[in-house]
């Protein structure tokens, strides 16, 4: 058996000859897990912010923007024009519906 160390109080000695606590090891592990989570969150938020700004600069809608920001009349005219282009309606019906939109 080893001689008792004078700098370690008697009540602080642990079983099996371990003269130090395991708590600092546990807390350092907790610290590094939290540090990695914080860095990951910062990287994620930075990338998301940059891509949203890039999408706004290009004139596209960002993911945070509402989906429908177009006037209903403009959207209805676009749908009507698309239906005419696909041949779903003829020119007379197109003009009739376009007049109905203007009223």
């Amino acid at each position: 058996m080893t001689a008792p160390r004078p700098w370690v109080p008697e009540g602080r000695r642990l079983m099996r000859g371990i003269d130090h606590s395991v708590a600092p090891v546990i807390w350092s592990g907790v610290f590094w897990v939290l540090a990695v989570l914080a860095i990951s969150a910062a990287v994620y938020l930075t990338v998301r912010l940059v891509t949203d700004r890039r999408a706004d600069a290009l004139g596209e809608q960002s993911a945070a923007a509402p989906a429908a920001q177009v006037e209903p009349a403009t959207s209805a005219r676009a749908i009507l024009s698309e239906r005419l282009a696909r041949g779903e309606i003829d020119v007379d019906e197109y003009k009739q519906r376009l007049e109905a939109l203007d009223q």
Side-chain angles (χ1 to χ4, degrees), residues 5 7-9 12-26:
R5 297 181 182 154
W7 62 86
V8 179
R12 295 285 294 181
R13 289 200 182 109
L14 300 176
M15 296 174 61
R16 297 191 185 127
I18 300 175
D19 290 341
H20 61 279
S21 176
V22 188
V25 175
I26 293 172

Side-chain angles (χ1 to χ4, degrees), residues 31-97:
F31 168 78
W32 285 112
V33 167
L34 292 176
V36 167
L37 288 175
I39 291 170
S40 300
V43 168
Y44 170 77
L45 292 174
T46 302
V47 168
R48 185 167 175 179
L49 180 68
V50 167
T51 55
D52 282 351
R53 285 188 181 175
R54 185 176 300 150
D56 289 342
L58 294 174
E60 301 170 358
Q61 283 186 342
S62 67
Q69 293 181 348
V70 180
E71 286 185 34
T74 306
S75 142
R77 290 175 196 273
I79 292 171
L80 195 57
S81 297
E82 289 175 9
R83 289 186 65 194
L84 178 66
R86 284 188 294 231
E88 294 178 8
I89 58 174
D90 59 356
V91 176
D92 293 331
E93 188 176 355
Y94 173 77
K95 289 180 182 177
Q96 181 184 14
R97 291 179 184 237

